[in-house]
Each structure stands twice: as C-alpha cells, then as structure tokens.
Amino acid sequence: RDVYRLCHRLDFARLLSYYFGGIGHYFSNVLTVFTVYVVVYLMAILALFNIEKIGDRLITPMGTIQMLLGGLGLLQTVPLFATLGVERGWWASCQELIQVFATGGPLHFMFHIQTKANYMTQTILVGGAKYRPTGRGFVTQHTPMDEQWRFFASSHLYLGVEMGALLVIMGVYTEAGQYFGRTWSLWLASLSFLASPFWFNPLTFDWNMVTSDYVKFI
C-alpha cells in the first residue's frame, strides 16, 4: 500500500529510477536471462526442423548494419565513460574503458546478471530472502576449482553448456546464413557463464594454484 501511494506521487523519470533502484532491477535481470534462453531454443528449433522460412522464402538474416547496431549495447558504457572523464580526465577515462574490455569486463557483467537472476528466481520460488551483511571482514582470496564448480554448476555452468550445444546444433542445420552475425552475442553469453567463475577468481593463472586446483578437481 505504501509503495502504491508513493508511485502515484512520483513523476515518470523518478518512477523509473525508483523501479530500477528497487526490485525492478532484479526482475529485469530475470527477464533478460529468460529471453536469451528462449531465443537460443527458438533459433535451434527453427534450424533443426528446417522452418527458417516464410512460405518458400528464407527468413532474412540480420544485415551488416543490423549486426553493427547489435553492438549498441556498448553504449551502456557511456555513463561510466562520462563519470570517469569528469573525475580523472578523458584520456584516463579511455584508458580505463580499454582496460575493462581487455580484461573481460563484458563477460563479468553478463555473469553478474545471471547470478542476480538466479538468486532472484530462487527467492521467488522457495523464499529465504534476508539481510546479508557484506563488506565487513571481507578478504579477497582464491577459491579452489572444485568449490567453484560445485557453487556455480547448477546456476551458470550447465546453462552455458546447454546454450553452447544448442548453438552448435543450430550451426549444423541452419540454412539462413550469417551464422556468426546472428549468434555472436549468444556465444559470448555462453562463454561468460562457463569461463567467468574461473577467469575472475583471484590468482587463477598462478601456476601453483593451477596445479593445486587440477589435483583437487580430479
């Protein structure tokens, strides 16, 4: 009731901010992951049953311009670029963005979306929401590979393998052409779910940690 009354007294811009700053942000993540999941299945089914056409005409794949427009999601980095530009200068802002992309930042962002979507879904289905204090006594440390696997298998790794398998099936049976142009973002999401738990684990490329993780995993 309080939320209902508050929302009726906010203008549209503040209403969007209130939605995204609250439960709406997590709900949007759930819808985003669900949409990706449905799109992968539909594309694979259309290719598998040879129904990528309307009548005798194949469904027109995305053209070159549409492929480029697909990268407009990168525009979401503009607020970060502007903030860093004001705080540190524009050259430092460019360097920071280059570093973010070079170190796999987009993969981390996709992985983070699935993480929040998974916990949001689990909370809706089985409950368990409560205050979890963070930032107190937090230590950045390496997590063994076997623990990473157990922790992320059901929420991320299985989903990444499933998406990758469906994209391979689609690639084998599709006749519409421009396979990479239609699936690069989906492959990126699959790679994110599979690689991010290990890529962003501290000291993951230290050789001693690599050998230790391998022995524990085997």
Side-chain angles (χ1 to χ4, degrees), residues 29 76-77 80 97 100-101 104-116 192-193 196 200:
N29 288 329
Q76 295 181 3
T77 60
L80 175 62
L97 285 181
V100 167
F101 281 94
L107 298 181
H108 179 268
F109 298 145
M110 294 181 203
F111 177 81
H112 198 196
I113 288 175
Q114 167 58 9
T115 302
K116 290 184 286 189
S192 169
F193 299 155
S196 291
F200 297 104

Side-chain angles (χ1 to χ4, degrees), residues 128-217:
K130 63 180 181 180
Y131 173 73
R132 297 182 182 275
T134 58
R136 299 174 182 87
F138 180 77
V139 178
T140 301
Q141 60 184 2
H142 181 81
T143 303
M145 183 178 178
D146 57 330
E147 291 187 24
Q148 290 278 74
W149 180 272
R150 287 194 296 268
F151 191 75
F152 291 110
S154 61
S155 60
H156 296 77
L157 302 180
Y158 294 160
L159 177 59
V161 171
E162 186 176 356
M163 290 177 58
L166 290 170
L167 291 172
V168 169
I169 292 174
M170 176 195 167
V172 172
Y173 289 96
T174 186
E175 297 179 356
Q178 295 187 353
Y179 174 77
F180 179 75
R182 293 185 293 148
T183 61
W184 66 270
S185 58
L186 300 174
W187 274 114
L188 198 61
S190 177
L191 178 64
S192 169
F193 299 155
L194 291 173
S196 291
F198 312 105
W199 181 278
F200 297 104
N201 191 15
L203 300 176
T204 193
F205 297 112
D206 182 84
W207 182 246
N208 292 329
M209 291 295 182
V210 171
T211 55
S212 176
D213 285 349
Y214 178 77
V215 171
K216 290 180 180 179
F217 184 75

